């Protein structure tokens, strides 16, 4: 929103990346290249990177996508260990209040983010909550951010993303 864009930041860096994928097999290679490149360019160890997933369900499959040299480890909100020497894989909710130099957000696709509305919950309120969850996930990045979004099942949460402030690429 315009109020957020008017905030003066301490750091300047590259635009965040919106990586649009067609198949889930496309995510792994691009995720690894992003992590390796960002860690080298920022001159930080793997412990300065985090991959954020919408729910716990995606975490185990994401761990298998990441290069073992980066020592990926799935952590629940009660197990977050900031001293761990590798890349942490957390849910978006678990990362609230934390910041990392390098952040990758995965699973931004219809049916995953936003999650389907459960009965008894007003859809506009549910959508607003899901929008805030994505905002919190993206705002965990201090220097580098990539968001993986499905091309075939687009999330309405990224409908307003444009190349004015994002680098948009097809994976």
């Amino acid at each position: 929103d315009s109020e957020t864009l008017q905030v003066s930041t301490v750091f300047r860096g590259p635009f965040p990346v919106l990586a649009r994928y067609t198949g889930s097999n496309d995510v792994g290679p691009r995720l690894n290249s992003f992590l390796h490149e960002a860690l080298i360019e920022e001159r930080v160890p793997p412990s300065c990177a985090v991959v954020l997933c919408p729910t716990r369900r995606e975490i185990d499959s994401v761990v298998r996508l990441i290069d073992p040299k980066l020592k990926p480890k799935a952590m629940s909100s009660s197990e977050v260990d900031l001293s761990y020497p590798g890349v942490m894989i957390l849910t978006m909710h678990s990362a609230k209040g934390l910041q990392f130099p390098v952040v990758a957000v995965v699973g931004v696709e219809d049916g995953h983010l936003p999650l389907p509305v459960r009965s008894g919950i007003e859809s506009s309120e549910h959508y607003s909550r899901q929008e805030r969850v994505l905002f919190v996930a993206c705002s965990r990045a201090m220097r580098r951010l990539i968001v993986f979004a499905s091309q075939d099942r687009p999330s309405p949460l990224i409908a307003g993303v444009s190349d004015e402030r994002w680098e948009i690429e097809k994976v």
Side-chain angles (χ1 to χ4, degrees):
D1 63 21
S2 60
E3 185 178 309
T4 304
L5 294 175
Q6 292 174 7
V7 173
S8 177
T9 60
V10 177
F11 298 111
R12 294 277 180 222
F15 281 160
V17 176
L18 177 64
R20 299 178 81 71
Y21 60 88
T22 52
S24 57
N25 293 340
D26 301 330
V27 174
R30 181 61 181 111
L31 176 59
N32 282 303
S33 69
F34 169 78
L35 290 171
H36 282 288
E37 290 167 16
L39 293 170
I40 289 168
E41 289 173 12
E42 295 300 327
R43 296 184 178 115
V44 294
S47 60
C48 292
V50 66
V51 179
L52 302 176
C53 305
T55 66
R56 193 78 189 130
R57 278 185 310 219
E58 290 91 6
I59 288 180
D60 291 330
S61 60
V62 170
V63 169
R64 290 189 294 273
L65 293 177
I66 299 174
D67 183 348
K69 293 176 190 168
L70 296 174
K71 302 178 195 163
K73 182 176 181 184
M75 296 183 191
S76 68
S77 56
S78 62
E79 302 171 328
V80 175
D81 177 8
L82 298 176
S83 66
Y84 181 71
V87 174
M88 292 172 271
I89 297 89
L90 311 169
T91 63
M92 294 176 184
H93 287 90
S94 298
K96 187 175 181 182
L98 303 174
Q99 287 192 309
F100 301 89
V102 178
V103 175
V105 176
V106 299
V108 181
E109 62 182 66
D110 196 34
H112 288 267
L113 194 66
L115 292 168
V117 180
R118 288 186 250 147
S119 62
I121 298 175
E122 187 179 318
S123 62
S124 62
E125 176 60 29
H126 174 75
Y127 184 82
S128 292
R129 281 187 200 158
Q130 295 290 290
E131 200 170 40
R132 288 191 301 271
V133 167
L134 180 58
F135 176 79
V136 165
C138 292
S139 64
R140 302 305 88 205
M142 297 166 65
R143 301 215 181 220
R144 304 282 174 145
L145 170 66
I146 190 168
V147 176
F148 287 91
S150 174
Q151 179 109 357
D152 300 331
R153 297 178 39 177
S155 170
L157 297 177
I158 58 162
V161 172
S162 72
D163 60 1
E164 184 180 328
R165 300 207 182 266
W166 286 76
E167 181 183 320
I168 300 174
E169 64 181 44
K170 241 183 183 178
V171 179

